[in-house]
Amino acid sequence: MTHRGQSRRESAVVTPNTTRRNALFVAAAASAGAVAAPFVGNAQVSVGRKLKIQSLWTENTIGYRTFETWCKSIVELTAGEIEFVPFAGGTVSEIFDMMTATSAGVLDGMHWVPHYAAITGAMPAGALLTSFPMGLPHPHQWDMLFDSYGGTELARELYARHGLHYVGHVHHDMNLIHSNKPIRSLDDFRGLNLRMPGGIVADCFEAIGARTIALAGSEVQPALASGAIDAADFTGPAMNYDLGFAEVSKYIVMGPTSTPCLHQPVDLTIVVFNQNVWNSFPAATQELLTELVRAFSIKHFTAHQEANVAAWTKFAEAGVEVTRLSEDDVGRFRKIALPLWFEWANRDTDSARVFKLHLDVMLNPAVAYINPEDIKDFELKL
C-alpha cells in the first residue's frame, strides 16, 4: 500500500524542555484527572505542529465533547510540541472510511471503532478487537487482554500492515438497543428490521430471526424516526439521549440484572495514527502520547458513566420504558454466540490469534467466564 510522505509540517517540531516533559509525563501517567478540565492556551507556549484527528462521535454528544477536551489538552501537555485539531465524525472523512483516510494521510490520526475494519473487509480480526456478543463483560478484563496478554502488541502488528500505528484502546460504555416495539424475549426479535454494526454481532441476531441492517452512527436516529427500522443498537444512555433517541423510540431493551448487555457489553474504541506521522515523533513523544491515550481512556469512560446517571432519569421522564430479557434468554443467546465466536475466529489466522487471547483471559481462574467443557467441541485453527 502506498502512503503519503511526511508533511512539511514535520520540520517544524519544537523540542520541549526535558525537565518540563518529564514532569508532564509523570502527571499524565499518574492521573486521568490531567485531562479533566479544558486547557486554556498559554501565550508562552508556541505550537510547533498541528495534527488533524477525527473522532467517530458526532457533535453535541458527550463522546465528542470529551474527545474535544482531550485534544485541547495536548498542546499544554506536550509543552507546545503538538496540537491536536479535533474533528467530529463525518466532517473530514465518512466514519466507515476513517481507516483509509488515516492510512492515506488525509487524517493524521483517528478515534475509531475497530469493528468497522471487519465490516469493510480491511481487517476481519477487527471484529474481535472490540466487544462482541457474550464476550468479556467488564472493562478491566479487556485491560487484561490488551495490557497483560499481549493484545496491544498484536493490534499494532495488524494495523502496521495498513500503514497505521495503533496507540491504544479507549473505554466507552455498553451498547443499548432502542426499539419502537416491546421486546421481552429473544423471540420478539424475530422479523424485526434491526440496525446492527454488522459482522459477528449481526450474525448472532440474524440467527434468532432478526433482519439486520448496517448503518453509520449518524443515520441511526433518523432511521428510527422514519420507521425504516424497528429497532437499533447504538451506544450508551448519555450518548443516545444526546442524539435524540428518546424522541424516536419507546423502549430500551436490556438483559437481566445479571447480564445487562448481551451483545456489546464493553464497546471499545481506539486511537490510531498514520504510521509515517507516528514514526516522525521522537521516542519520548511517542511514549508521552501513549500515556495520554491511557489517560483519555479513563476520562472517556468515567465521563460517560457520570453522564449516564442523568440520562437514565431523562429517558424515564420522556416515557421510555426499559424492558429486560430473561436468564433463559441469556443461556440461549450464549449457545448461539459461542459457535459464531469460532466461525469468525477461523476466518483468517490473525482473527484466530486475537481470539486465542480472549480464550486465555476467559479461562483465567480469576475470570472464569468459560471452562474447558464449554469449548471442547470447537477447534481454533491457528
Side-chain angles (χ1 to χ4, degrees):
M1 183 179 293
T2 302
H3 308 287
R4 293 184 178 180
Q6 292 177 325
S7 166
R8 286 177 295 177
R9 292 175 299 178
E10 294 169 8
S11 63
V13 172
V14 176
T15 303
N17 177 270
T18 301
T19 302
R20 177 174 173 76
R21 168 176 290 282
N22 290 341
L24 289 168
F25 180 90
V26 172
S31 173
V35 295
F39 281 76
V40 179
N42 186 333
Q44 296 180 342
V45 176
S46 59
V47 178
R49 184 175 178 190
K50 293 185 178 182
L51 301 177
K52 294 186 296 185
I53 180 167
Q54 180 175 302
S55 175
L56 75 158
W57 305 134
T58 54
E59 290 183 310
N60 302 317
T61 63
I62 181 64
Y64 184 70
R65 290 192 296 270
T66 305
F67 168 76
E68 187 177 42
T69 297
W70 176 67
C71 285
K72 289 179 179 179
S73 75
I74 298 300
V75 66
E76 186 84 6
L77 292 172
T78 63
E81 180 182 356
I82 295 168
E83 178 182 349
F84 283 179
V85 181
F87 293 90
T91 55
V92 175
S93 167
E94 292 298 326
I95 292 171
F96 285 134
D97 297 332
M98 286 170 61
M99 182 172 173
T100 300
T102 307
S103 178
V106 176
L107 293 168
D108 296 306
M110 65 176 179
H111 173 216
W112 203 48
V113 175
H115 192 84
Y116 291 163
I119 294 172
T120 62
M123 186 193 300
L128 302 168
L129 286 170
T130 187
S131 197
F132 53 86
M134 300 307 297
L136 291 167
H138 301 297
H140 73 274
Q141 294 165 348
W142 285 84
D143 289 339
M144 290 173 64
L145 185 145
F146 282 101
D147 298 333
S148 304
Y149 281 80
T152 296
E153 290 75 12
L154 180 51
R156 286 177 180 166
E157 176 191 331
L158 301 185
Y159 277 93
R161 297 176 194 168
H162 298 269
L164 299 165
H165 178 79
Y166 176 97
V167 184
H169 65 283
V170 176
H171 283 300
H172 165 227
D173 208 351
M174 68 173 68
N175 277 9
L176 300 178
I177 295 176
H178 291 259
S179 176
N180 279 318
K181 298 182 179 181
I183 297 174
R184 294 184 170 88
S185 76
L186 290 184
D187 294 332
D188 292 334
F189 283 101
R190 190 172 293 121
L192 287 187
N193 291 319
L194 175 66
R195 183 272 178 183
M196 282 288 156
I200 186 174
V201 185
D203 284 359
C204 286
F205 281 91
E206 288 176 0
I208 60 174
R211 295 190 294 265
T212 65
I213 302 165
L215 296 172
S218 59
E219 301 173 4
V220 178
Q221 196 264 9
L224 275 172
S226 69
I229 56 176
D230 300 309
D233 149 88
F234 205 54
T235 57
M239 281 281 293
N240 292 354
Y241 188 85
D242 285 346
L243 291 168
F245 278 63
E247 301 164 12
V248 299
S249 59
K250 299 177 181 178
Y251 303 95
I252 293 174
V253 186
M254 301 185 72
T257 53
S258 67
T259 315
C261 181
L262 279 63
H263 67 297
Q264 286 188 293
V266 183
D267 189 18
L268 285 182
T269 60
I270 57 175
V271 171
V272 171
F273 276 87
N274 175 281
Q275 188 72 67
N276 287 336
V277 171
W278 184 261
N279 290 346
S280 71
F281 297 144
T285 302
Q286 293 176 347
E287 188 174 3
L288 174 59
L289 290 175
T290 300
E291 292 303 320
L292 292 177
V293 169
R294 289 178 181 271
F296 176 46
S297 178
I298 297 171
K299 180 58 184 174
H300 194 259
F301 181 76
T302 55
H304 281 79
Q305 304 318 305
E306 181 180 0
N308 285 348
V309 176
W312 284 120
T313 300
K314 292 175 183 177
F315 274 118
E317 291 173 346
V320 177
E321 178 185 351
V322 175
T323 65
R324 290 195 176 271
L325 305 175
S326 69
E327 293 290 351
D328 287 342
D329 288 323
V330 174
R332 287 175 58 193
F333 201 64
R334 195 174 195 226
K335 289 180 180 178
I336 289 167
L338 200 148
L340 285 169
W341 292 353
F342 283 85
E343 179 184 321
W344 273 82
N346 288 327
R347 293 192 175 193
D348 68 7
T349 301
D350 292 327
S351 297
R353 293 169 66 200
V354 174
F355 188 60
K356 175 64 165 58
L357 301 183
H358 283 276
L359 293 180
D360 290 344
V361 177
M362 291 176 179
L363 290 166
N364 182 308
V367 176
Y369 191 61
I370 60 173
N371 60 59
E373 184 70 15
D374 293 326
I375 59 174
K376 64 180 179 61
D377 296 327
F378 301 96
E379 179 187 2
L380 186 60
K381 299 175 183 178
L382 290 166

